[in-house]
Every structure is written in C-alpha cells, then in structure tokens.
Amino acid sequence: MAKATMYFPPDFKWGAATAAHQVEGNNTNNDWWAWEQTPGHISRDQKSGLAADWWGDGFERDLDFAAQMGHTAHRLSIEWARIEPQEGVWDTAAIDRYRYMLSAMRRRGIEPMVTLHHFSNPLWVAERDAWETTAIVPWFERYVSKAVDSLKDLCDLWVTINEPNVYAVAGYVPDQAETVDHDAPSALFPPGKNSLNLAFTVVANMLRGHAAAYRGIHQLQPTARVGVAQNMRVFDPARPDNVLDRFCAFNRDRLFNHTLLNALLTGRYDRPFGVPQWIRGLKGALDFIGLNYYTRELVKFDRSRPTTIMFGRSVLDPNTPMSDGNYGELYPLGLFRMLKRLERTGKPIFITENGLPDADDDQRPAFLLTHLREVWRAINQNIPIMGYYHWSLVDNFEWAEAWNLRFGLIKLNVETQERRLRRSGELYGEICRRGVIDDGLVYEYAPALLDTLFPG
Ligand code: FCB
C-alpha cells in the first residue's frame, strides 16, 4: 500500500442535493401528493407526509449539518405548485420562504443551485395533461421567469428540468419498471400511463420548456448559468460476446442517454420511430451539464419483450455488489465513463446527483471513496468538473419506493424527525473540509479499499 493523496481543485464545489417534494412535507397541491393518496401507487401505500419537514424546522437542522460537514454548495428544488398554486396566482409567502431558504444557505457559505422542475407538477397543470402537450411551454416559462426574477439576487445557478428521461419513462412506460427487481409493487410515477409515443412527446415538450426557460432566465439575469440534470446510466451487454445483447444495450443507451443529450447540444431531437424534430431555441441553450449518475444496467436480449424496451431486459448479476433493495449495481467506473463521454460536449460539468440507498450505512463510505476517486481521475484528465452534489443530504421520500430506500448522509427518523449524521457523513465532511482523499482517511473509514485505491 502506498502513501498518497488525491487533491481536488481548491474551488471545487462540495455539497449534496435534495428535491422539494422529497423533503418539504405537506406539499399538498401537486400531482405527486394526489398520486400518493391512491392505494397501490406507492410501495406499501406509504406517504410523503411531513417528509423531512423542510417547510418547517427540518430545513435549518439539516443545513446546520451541511455547514458542519463543510459543504460549499447545495442543490435544492423549488415547487411550482407552491409558487403558482393556481394559474396566474402567485403565492408571495411561498416565494418569501424560498428567499429565506436561499439566504440561510448563503449565510452558511453554501452556494445554492436551484432546480425549477423536479418531477412534480401543480395540480392545475397535471389536470391539463402536463408535459403531454405544448400548452405547458408558456406556462412553464412564465413560472420560471417569476421564480428567477424573485430569487436572482440569491442564486445564479439554475437547473431547468431534472431528468426528462426518467420523468418520461417512469410516468409513461410501465414495463421499464419491471426490468429491475424493485421491491415496490410498481415504480410508476404519475400520470401512470402506458404509451411509448407519449413518452417521446413528453421529452420533446420538456426540451421546448428548457429552451424557453433558458432564454427567459438569461434575459432576466445575463450572468446566469443554466443547465439540465441528465440521468445517465451505463448499459452494458449482459453477455459481452453476444451480438443480440450488445445490440439491445446499444439501443437502450441511444434511447435513454444519447437522444436527449444530443438534442440538448444540437437542437435536433431524433425522436425514436419518428421524424427528427428541430426544437426552436434549443441549440446552444446549455451553459453546463448536470450529470446524475447511479448505476449500470446489464442488458440481455429477450424475445418476449418486442415493443417497450426493444427486446432488451435488464438482469442482475448475482456476483456483483448491490445497494439496498437491489436498487442497482455499485459501479464506480461508470461515473468515469460518463464523465469521459460528456467531455466531448465541451461543456462544464456538475455532478448534480450520485449516491445509493444504504440504510445501515455499511456501503456508503466505500461508495463515496470509490466514486470520488473516479471524479478525481477525470479531473486529472482535464475534464472540467466543477462540483459534486451527493444524493442526498438527508433521508427523504423516495417517490414510489417512499421510505424503503434511505439515501441520506443524515439519518432521519421520519416519525420523530430526529436526525443523526451517519458515519459516511463524517467521512464526506472530512473530504469537503480538506479537499483531499488520502490513505489515512481510507484507512480510517474503509480499510478494505486501501490496496484498490492506493496500489503499489
Ligand atoms: C433520481 C432523482 C432523485 C432521487 C434519486 C434517487 O433519479 O432525480 O429525485 O429520487 O434518483
């Protein structure tokens, strides 16, 4: 084992990420809250309820932990349904609350990155088919302009839309959910439809919404940096030598990763099974790329699934390490592979999400060290990575999996709202404060990794 230190750049941003509906609580006016009320939608019919009470006291308490860990950045989302509860009606108290939250971050030396849409829609938008029609584009642009105008003295780093691909797949392609053996009865998001065609339409409209928002934000704030948080998964053939598996993995990659990214860069949406569409204002409407990376899927040819996932089925390799609930393979190299791929775009990159469900925290320390090592390697190859936001700061309402999966650096008791920093949070704090990973740290938190991380 060698003695060595991995240095991160001094201005590298360290933080964590959260989303409004997952942490705020009593978020009653959006489509997710409504979705939770119908039995069968959420695993064991759990509810978001008070969540992590960020609309109350929980926010400040978690932020204190973030400050204690030495975070210099935080990615949060604001809730459209709170800001515009009815069409054209602005809730100034909600806006003031977000102003307060952003100021509270700044006071602690934490720079906010604000996501304007993270999965949930106001009820009035959902009732009008949300992203299924182009009608939403001007509504979204108006909301974004109002929000940015109200918050622009406190934030200049914006994510317009979180994971258009996940939103479209989880809400419109039920078969996809069954491909990975989740514990939940279904991984469906609202509106829970079954139409691949609508999924592609939704993505196209989100791209339109992004382009409109990008333009609107820059008009209000010329110095703004505006991006999208893009979920990217590695798709590898389950049997590397099998031509059909390779073909299916290639297809999944095109559908899930490539098409959206390519549209964001070129303005051309190569709608699968359709004619290419040029989206007005999209080309060049990207100041940075947000990468949400979690896992890899191994794809196997399956003749019984001709339509929804084009003969490809994801399989779990019993020999690879998995996170809780078979959420996914722990595959740090995938982060490096995705960063390498994004390098070609020439855009600055923020890792806007990366994490794992791990209630007893026996995997998270090693996860952090191995994934951050890949980030460090990529930085050393001059890939412009500006910061890392771990998902998540605190245990939160994990959508259809509700409280089954615990992603937090802070452990939350949902009933009592008590919290405690996990050991992985202590480790992450050391890394954030010092900006380095060295053999001493690895020895202390994950000694089994010493030879892997510092060979020689
Ligand atoms: C991402 C979502 C985020 C969280 C993590 C685990 O796809 O953006 O809200 O649920 O997965």
Side-chain angles (χ1 to χ4, degrees):
M1 191 264 298
K3 282 202 157 308
T5 306
M6 302 176 212
Y7 292 91
F8 288 81
D11 55 352
F12 190 75
K13 290 285 178 193
W14 295 103
T18 52
H21 190 73
Q22 297 179 271
V23 291
E24 287 180 355
N26 286 329
N27 200 8
T28 56
N29 202 21
N30 71 15
D31 53 355
W32 260 93
W33 186 273
W35 183 252
E36 291 166 33
Q37 308 314 310
T38 305
H41 282 163
I42 309 291
S43 168
R44 292 186 278 119
D45 294 334
Q46 298 166 82
K47 305 246 181 336
S48 58
L50 198 58
D53 195 23
W54 271 38
W55 210 244
D57 185 38
F59 163 69
E60 212 95 37
R61 294 165 68 195
D62 290 333
L63 209 56
D64 283 341
F65 279 114
Q68 181 193 318
M69 279 184 270
H71 291 194
T72 52
H74 186 83
R75 172 176 175 238
L76 77 165
S77 80
I78 58 175
E79 183 68 46
W80 185 358
R82 290 199 195 268
I83 291 177
E84 192 181 7
Q86 289 164 38
E87 187 178 2
V89 176
W90 306 108
D91 184 334
T92 46
I95 294 174
D96 285 350
R97 168 74 188 173
Y98 285 123
R99 285 193 59 80
Y100 172 79
M101 288 166 82
L102 299 187
S103 311
M105 288 181 183
R106 291 229 172 255
R107 265 201 311 279
R108 290 168 171 88
I110 295 175
E111 185 188 354
M113 171 191 273
V114 169
T115 303
L116 295 151
H117 186 280
H118 195 123
F119 293 165
S120 50
N121 300 298
L123 278 176
W124 67 267
V125 171
E127 279 155 12
R128 295 179 216 176
D129 300 328
W131 295 92
E132 293 169 25
T133 78
T134 53
I136 193 170
V137 177
W139 303 335
F140 184 62
E141 186 180 0
R142 183 181 55 191
Y143 146 69
V144 166
S145 297
K146 178 73 180 179
V148 169
D149 204 26
S150 311
L151 303 175
K152 63 178 191 248
D153 57 323
L154 297 168
C155 178
D156 66 359
L157 196 52
W158 309 94
V159 168
T160 54
I161 300 182
N162 181 66
E163 300 183 346
N165 51 358
V166 172
Y167 178 93
V169 167
Y172 294 85
V173 191
D175 261 7
Q176 184 74 26
E178 294 163 16
T179 59
V180 179
D181 282 329
H182 279 214
D183 284 333
S186 119
L188 283 185
F189 286 12
K193 293 192 180 169
N194 183 359
S195 164
L196 202 55
N197 191 39
L198 269 180
F200 296 132
T201 302
V202 159
V203 169
N205 289 332
M206 286 189 144
L207 289 168
R208 292 189 177 95
H210 165 75
Y214 180 91
R215 190 187 49 233
I217 297 170
H218 274 283
Q219 267 165 17
L220 289 162
Q221 192 185 42
T223 55
R225 289 163 294 161
V226 183
V228 167
Q230 155 87 330
N231 183 309
M232 294 184 75
R233 277 182 217 161
V234 174
F235 295 98
D236 278 340
R239 297 161 296 184
D241 297 333
N242 184 298
V243 171
L244 293 170
D245 287 6
R246 293 168 75 102
F247 171 75
C248 291
F250 173 81
N251 262 332
R252 292 283 294 282
D253 178 74
R254 276 204 92 70
L255 280 174
F256 194 80
N257 296 320
H258 172 81
T259 311
L260 184 62
L261 190 61
N262 189 53
L264 285 165
L265 295 166
T266 63
R268 187 179 125 137
Y269 179 48
D270 286 315
R271 186 182 170 117
F273 320 113
V275 282
Q277 290 169 299
W278 288 95
I279 298 197
R280 201 150 45 95
L282 187 59
K283 186 168 182 198
L286 200 65
D287 302 324
F288 68 88
I289 295 183
L291 168 63
N292 293 0
Y293 172 74
Y294 286 90
T295 189
R296 149 167 95 162
E297 288 186 31
L298 297 176
V299 185
K300 204 169 184 175
F301 175 76
D302 180 347
R303 69 180 77 248
S304 72
R305 287 172 184 255
T307 49
T308 42
I309 46 176
M310 301 171 72
F311 294 107
R313 182 163 63 88
S314 292
V315 292
L316 301 179
D317 177 345
N319 301 316
T320 54
M322 287 282 157
S323 50
D324 287 2
N326 278 340
Y327 182 80
E329 177 187 349
L330 301 174
Y331 184 59
L333 182 61
L335 180 52
F336 182 80
R337 287 171 65 185
M338 286 307 170
L339 290 167
K340 263 312 236 191
R341 185 164 167 179
L342 291 178
E343 179 184 19
R344 279 177 252 143
T345 67
K347 303 279 180 194
I349 302 163
F350 285 95
I351 298 161
T352 37
E353 288 181 27
N354 173 236
L356 81 168
D358 180 21
D360 55 11
D361 207 42
D362 61 340
Q363 293 174 314
R364 194 173 286 102
F367 179 99
L368 278 165
L369 291 165
T370 50
H371 284 74
L372 286 171
R373 202 257 306 240
E374 299 303 322
V375 177
W376 174 81
R377 281 211 300 140
I379 293 172
N380 276 292
Q381 297 191 9
N382 284 326
I383 303 179
I385 306 165
M386 320 310 289
Y388 175 87
Y389 300 76
H390 189 75
W391 185 276
S392 181
L393 179 59
V394 61
D395 288 343
N396 57 52
F397 178 74
E398 178 48 34
W399 311 112
E401 298 274 0
W403 301 100
N404 300 350
L405 301 180
R406 302 300 179 110
F407 280 85
L409 295 165
I410 302 167
K411 179 184 166 110
L412 174 73
N413 179 324
V414 188
E415 276 73 47
T416 62
Q417 287 292 316
E418 272 168 304
R419 38 260 280 166
R420 187 173 59 69
L421 194 63
R422 290 194 163 103
R423 190 164 152 76
S424 54
E426 288 167 21
L427 162 65
Y428 189 51
E430 296 260 3
I431 299 171
C432 299
R433 287 189 300 269
R434 292 170 50 206
V436 302
I437 295 176
D438 62 15
D439 50 287
L441 203 61
V442 178
Y443 181 74
E444 193 180 341
Y445 285 91
L449 280 179
L450 273 172
D451 289 336
T452 324
L453 291 191
F454 299 109

